[in-house]
Amino acid sequence: DQQVKQNSPSLSVQEGRISILNCDYTNSMFDYFLWYKKYPAEGPTFLISISSIKDKNEDGRFTVFLNKSAKHLSLHIVPSQPGDSAVYFCAASGTSGSRLTFGEGTQLTVNP
Amino acid sequence: GAVVSQHPSWVICKSGTSVKIECRSLDFQATTMFWYRQFPKQSLMLMATSNEGSKATYEQGVEKDKFLINHASLTLSTLTVTSAHPEDSSFYICSARIQGWGDQPQHFGDGTRLSIL
């Protein structure tokens, strides 16, 4: 039972344009959501998070949007840069300190 | 930012060998650490939650006698893969979270690539 799903295994965008990565979840008990970036043979690097009491959180080029009624969150990267090319995982937990459930990941490729 | 160090980064060994992986929080204390496993082109799957001073909590389907976890201090957790076999070959990653008020993300080590011949 995949409680966190990233339906797009890959995304390709042009440098300077917006990248939008999507994530859906099924467990209504999730109330803390995170995005991680991962390069091959490295651990995930934390990017940005959002609590369920918010619908938007912004940090520089990265913005996460949360739609609780739709059980959907998205990560916007603008402008996209070639160095952003990596696998992006969304993750969710019931409380901020508890176990994370990860999506399958989306490979983002930003073309120069 | 918070740093989690994992060692070794790569292990190749013969079937039947036991392998120990260390996870350290370098600039903060972590009463809880997490161990994940990732197979190629798949997501990270939580194996167990490591609790300082007490027994680890294992996820369903994870053999606790196979994957021994010790969390003896606030900055160190170890995962020992006992009598490893080729099917245990995977990428093992640990994480830790800074204790404190409010939402705090888990920070990950760089992982250990385990190859069992």
Side-chain angles (χ1 to χ4, degrees):
Chain A
D1 176 29
Q2 189 69 25
Q3 297 186 59
V4 179
K5 287 190 67 64
Q6 293 175 255
N7 290 313
S8 297
S10 64
L11 174 68
S12 183
V13 300
Q14 207 63 29
E15 181 179 6
R17 305 295 289 268
I18 185 171
S19 296
I20 301 176
L21 298 111
N22 294 301
C23 180
D24 297 291
Y25 63 97
T26 57
N27 190 337
S28 58
M29 298 303 292
F30 289 146
D31 63 2
Y32 182 58
F33 305 89
L34 309 91
W35 284 95
Y36 287 86
K37 174 181 177 181
K38 186 180 183 300
Y39 295 112
E42 293 184 10
T45 301
F46 170 72
L47 279 176
I48 193 168
S49 64
I50 188 167
S51 166
S52 60
I53 61 174
K54 297 183 178 179
D55 55 17
K56 176 183 176 181
N57 189 26
E58 189 173 353
D59 184 1
R61 297 186 297 115
F62 303 93
T63 303
V64 56
F65 295 91
L66 175 63
N67 183 331
K68 281 191 67 178
S69 61
K71 293 189 176 68
H72 177 83
L73 65 154
S74 61
L75 174 68
H76 292 210
I77 306 173
V78 57
S80 301
Q81 300 172 354
D84 295 329
S85 298
V87 177
Y88 288 78
F89 288 96
C90 71
S93 71
T95 61
S96 64
S98 68
R99 58 195 297 278
L100 290 178
T101 300
F102 281 85
E104 306 94 329
T106 298
Q107 171 70 57
L108 173 66
T109 303
V110 180
N111 300 303
Chain B
V3 178
V4 175
S5 173
Q6 194 170 334
H7 178 81
S9 57
W10 203 347
V11 179
I12 302 175
C13 58
K14 294 181 179 179
S15 184
T17 306
S18 292
V19 178
K20 180 186 283 188
I21 303 170
E22 293 187 348
C23 180
R24 295 181 184 273
S25 56
L26 295 185
D27 52 1
F28 64 100
Q29 293 183 330
T31 56
T32 304
M33 292 185 177
F34 302 88
W35 287 96
Y36 294 82
R37 179 168 54 185
Q38 185 187 26
F39 291 106
K41 298 192 182 303
Q42 294 187 23
S43 185
L44 284 78
M45 299 300 294
L46 179 66
M47 299 175 65
T49 301
S50 172
N51 304 298
E52 188 268 335
S54 65
K55 292 183 178 180
T57 305
Y58 290 82
E59 295 299 302
Q60 190 172 12
V62 178
E63 301 176 56
K64 62 180 180 180
D65 295 329
K66 173 83 172 171
F67 299 99
L68 300 179
I69 290 173
N70 184 277
H71 194 155
S73 78
L74 287 172
T75 59
L76 173 64
S77 174
T78 60
L79 168 68
T80 301
V81 184
T82 62
S83 187
H85 292 286
E87 59 266 28
D88 298 322
S89 298
S90 188
F91 191 56
Y92 293 85
I93 315 172
C94 70
S95 73
R97 188 180 73 92
I98 299 171
Q99 308 302 310
W101 295 103
D103 295 325
Q104 296 287 341
Q106 289 181 26
H107 295 276
F108 286 81
D110 275 341
T112 297
R113 172 72 58 194
L114 177 60
S115 296
I116 307 299
L117 305 177

